[in-house]
Amino acid sequence: MAHITRGRRGAAGEAYPERAATAGGGATGATGATGATGPSGGATGPTGATGSGTTGVTGSTGATGATGATGVTGSTGATGGGEGGPPTGPAGGDLDGNYPDPGVAAVDGSPFNINDPQVGDVLVFDGTNWVNSTTLADLINQVNALQTQVSNLSNGQGFNLSNGGAVPPNVLYQGTQLVSVTT
């Protein structure tokens, strides 16, 4: 019968290897294959909660990088079609005729209505058209003459007509007619 001794120690405290004793004093057999790994410790546990700390302060902007090298100069573009010239074609807006020599037909859309222009005439807006009129000095003279006529009328003297006739003090101009006034 076989006998196995375990854990004995030698005189110097060294362990004796395990050994098997056989009745016939035969050799020790080969080491057997390693056994299968046992089951793992179970399912993996759940992931822990995310921390709730505040976000840190944003760092300062880094230094500006070095300027890059200058790029290659591009090719020269095509030459234009020669020298420019005056505009051509029909004029629009307040202008009349064709370019390059249009005429002025209106100011801000109000047309000119000029009859027999004379030296010294000025343009006057009549509410619809620009018309020629006498010079400012002539207009002032006409206003002064009218003031004299009004003064004569208020003094009972009548007034003179531009054709050389006279209107007696008992006749007034009403609308488009002269009317006689009796006192």
Side-chain angles (χ1 to χ4, degrees):
M1 172 135 113
H3 177 258
I4 298 175
T5 305
R6 291 183 186 189
R8 279 190 358 183
R9 303 229 176 243
E14 297 176 358
Y16 289 116
E18 293 183 13
R19 51 189 176 159
T22 59
T28 302
T31 303
T34 302
T37 303
S40 66
T44 302
T47 302
T50 301
S52 62
T54 58
T55 302
V57 177
T58 301
S60 60
T61 302
T64 301
T67 301
T70 301
V72 177
T73 301
S75 59
T76 301
T79 302
E83 293 184 28
T88 59
D94 288 342
L95 301 178
D96 188 30
N98 291 311
Y99 286 106
D101 295 314
V104 178
V107 173
D108 287 337
S110 299
F112 293 111
N113 187 8
I114 300 173
N115 296 313
D116 191 28
Q118 301 294 315
V119 173
D121 279 0
V122 294
L123 288 177
V124 178
F125 186 65
D126 69 3
T128 305
N129 298 305
W130 289 95
V131 296
N132 58 316
S133 181
T134 56
T135 63
L136 182 59
D138 290 338
L139 292 174
I140 292 172
N141 288 337
Q142 289 177 13
V143 168
N144 289 337
L146 181 58
Q147 286 176 336
T148 301
Q149 298 291 347
V150 170
S151 176
N152 289 343
L153 184 59
S154 65
N155 292 331
Q157 299 175 14
F159 60 93
N160 296 324
L161 297 174
S162 61
N163 65 2
V167 177
N170 64 339
V171 175
L172 294 177
Y173 181 75
Q174 181 179 16
T176 58
Q177 298 181 4
L178 291 175
V179 293
S180 176
V181 177
T182 56
T183 55

